[in-house]
Amino acid sequence: MAPYESFHTADREIVVAVTNEKIWAALARLPEFAALTTDPRYDTPPKRNEQRRELVPAFEAILQTREAAHWIASFDAVGIP
């Protein structure tokens, strides 16, 4: 499953669990992640797992732009654990 692990934000680490298509679709509702969620390299769970080496750093780079509290509130608002 990718992305599902601990990630650095601007101020501390958080754990994000994008474990299925429903949660990936929820991630797509956050503008910061639009480029990732529309990228055909990541459009299915198998592809996200195969491309983990590229996906995880790209995902974390977005998270590092803001503090953990921002991301936790944003993820909670759209149903991402």
Side-chain angles (χ1 to χ4, degrees), residues 1 8-10 15-16 22 36 48 50 53 59 64 73 76 79:
M1 259 175 277
H8 291 94
T9 68
V15 174
V16 182
K22 180 181 176 183
L36 287 182
R48 290 192 289 275
E50 290 168 8
R53 285 186 173 175
F59 190 85
Q64 289 177 333
D76 284 347

Short mmCIF file of all heavy atoms in Angstrom, two decimals, residues 1 8-10 15-16 22 36 48 50 53 59 64 73 76 79:
data_model
loop_
_atom_site.label_atom_id
_atom_site.label_comp_id
_atom_site.label_asym_id
_atom_site.label_seq_id
_atom_site.Cartn_x
_atom_site.Cartn_y
_atom_site.Cartn_z
N MET A 1 0.83 -1.18 0.00
CA MET A 1 0.00 0.00 0.00
C MET A 1 0.87 1.24 0.00
O MET A 1 1.76 1.37 0.84
CB MET A 1 -0.83 0.00 1.27
CG MET A 1 -2.23 -0.43 1.11
SD MET A 1 -3.04 -0.50 2.70
CE MET A 1 -2.52 -2.10 3.26
N HIS A 8 7.51 13.26 7.00
CA HIS A 8 7.90 14.53 7.60
C HIS A 8 7.01 15.65 7.06
O HIS A 8 6.76 15.70 5.86
CB HIS A 8 9.36 14.87 7.26
CG HIS A 8 10.33 13.96 7.93
ND1 HIS A 8 10.82 12.83 7.32
CD2 HIS A 8 10.89 14.01 9.16
CE1 HIS A 8 11.65 12.22 8.14
NE2 HIS A 8 11.71 12.91 9.27
N THR A 9 6.57 16.50 7.97
CA THR A 9 5.91 17.74 7.58
C THR A 9 6.89 18.87 7.89
O THR A 9 8.05 18.60 8.20
CB THR A 9 4.60 17.95 8.36
OG1 THR A 9 4.90 18.19 9.73
CG2 THR A 9 3.66 16.76 8.22
N ALA A 10 6.43 20.10 7.84
CA ALA A 10 7.32 21.23 8.12
C ALA A 10 7.82 21.24 9.56
O ALA A 10 8.90 21.76 9.84
CB ALA A 10 6.62 22.55 7.81
N VAL A 15 1.71 10.12 10.48
CA VAL A 15 1.46 8.90 9.73
C VAL A 15 0.23 9.14 8.86
O VAL A 15 -0.79 9.64 9.33
CB VAL A 15 1.22 7.70 10.66
CG1 VAL A 15 0.80 6.46 9.88
CG2 VAL A 15 2.47 7.42 11.47
N VAL A 16 0.36 8.80 7.59
CA VAL A 16 -0.73 8.94 6.64
C VAL A 16 -1.00 7.56 6.04
O VAL A 16 -0.06 6.85 5.67
CB VAL A 16 -0.39 9.95 5.52
CG1 VAL A 16 -1.57 10.12 4.58
CG2 VAL A 16 0.02 11.29 6.11
N LYS A 22 -10.98 4.62 -2.24
CA LYS A 22 -11.83 5.65 -1.62
C LYS A 22 -10.97 6.74 -0.99
O LYS A 22 -11.25 7.93 -1.15
CB LYS A 22 -12.75 5.01 -0.58
CG LYS A 22 -13.65 5.98 0.12
CD LYS A 22 -14.51 5.28 1.14
CE LYS A 22 -15.35 6.28 1.92
NZ LYS A 22 -16.13 5.63 2.97
N LEU A 36 -0.40 14.66 -8.15
CA LEU A 36 -0.16 13.24 -7.87
C LEU A 36 -1.37 12.39 -8.21
O LEU A 36 -1.23 11.32 -8.81
CB LEU A 36 0.20 13.03 -6.39
CG LEU A 36 1.57 13.47 -5.93
CD1 LEU A 36 1.75 13.15 -4.46
CD2 LEU A 36 2.67 12.82 -6.74
N ARG A 48 0.70 2.40 -7.82
CA ARG A 48 1.26 3.18 -6.70
C ARG A 48 2.31 2.36 -5.95
O ARG A 48 3.35 2.88 -5.54
CB ARG A 48 0.15 3.67 -5.78
CG ARG A 48 -0.70 4.75 -6.43
CD ARG A 48 -1.61 5.45 -5.46
NE ARG A 48 -2.71 4.66 -4.97
CZ ARG A 48 -3.88 4.51 -5.58
NH1 ARG A 48 -4.10 5.06 -6.76
NH2 ARG A 48 -4.83 3.80 -5.02
N GLU A 50 4.10 -0.14 -7.25
CA GLU A 50 5.25 -0.31 -8.16
C GLU A 50 6.10 0.96 -8.23
O GLU A 50 7.31 0.88 -8.39
CB GLU A 50 4.76 -0.67 -9.56
CG GLU A 50 4.17 -2.05 -9.67
CD GLU A 50 3.44 -2.26 -10.98
OE1 GLU A 50 3.51 -1.41 -11.88
OE2 GLU A 50 2.75 -3.31 -11.09
N ARG A 53 8.95 4.25 -5.01
CA ARG A 53 10.21 5.03 -4.91
C ARG A 53 10.04 6.47 -5.39
O ARG A 53 10.73 7.36 -4.92
CB ARG A 53 11.33 4.36 -5.68
CG ARG A 53 11.88 3.15 -5.00
CD ARG A 53 13.07 2.65 -5.76
NE ARG A 53 13.70 1.58 -5.03
CZ ARG A 53 14.71 0.88 -5.47
NH1 ARG A 53 15.20 1.15 -6.67
NH2 ARG A 53 15.23 -0.07 -4.75
N PHE A 59 5.13 12.73 -2.38
CA PHE A 59 4.09 12.93 -1.38
C PHE A 59 4.67 13.68 -0.18
O PHE A 59 4.09 14.66 0.30
CB PHE A 59 3.56 11.55 -0.96
CG PHE A 59 2.33 11.59 -0.12
CD1 PHE A 59 1.08 11.68 -0.70
CD2 PHE A 59 2.41 11.50 1.26
CE1 PHE A 59 -0.07 11.69 0.08
CE2 PHE A 59 1.27 11.52 2.05
CZ PHE A 59 0.03 11.61 1.46
N GLN A 64 5.90 18.55 3.44
CA GLN A 64 6.90 19.40 4.07
C GLN A 64 6.65 20.89 3.84
O GLN A 64 7.31 21.72 4.45
CB GLN A 64 8.29 19.01 3.58
CG GLN A 64 8.72 17.66 4.14
CD GLN A 64 10.06 17.21 3.62
OE1 GLN A 64 10.48 17.57 2.52
NE2 GLN A 64 10.75 16.41 4.41
N ALA A 73 -5.69 18.46 9.96
CA ALA A 73 -7.01 19.06 9.76
C ALA A 73 -7.52 18.83 8.34
O ALA A 73 -8.71 18.49 8.15
CB ALA A 73 -6.95 20.56 10.08
N ASP A 76 -8.37 15.08 7.98
CA ASP A 76 -9.60 14.79 8.72
C ASP A 76 -10.84 15.28 7.98
O ASP A 76 -11.87 14.60 7.93
CB ASP A 76 -9.57 15.42 10.12
CG ASP A 76 -8.69 14.67 11.10
OD1 ASP A 76 -8.27 13.52 10.81
OD2 ASP A 76 -8.39 15.24 12.17
N GLY A 79 -11.55 12.76 5.24
CA GLY A 79 -11.64 11.36 5.64
C GLY A 79 -10.42 10.50 5.41
O GLY A 79 -10.50 9.30 5.22
#
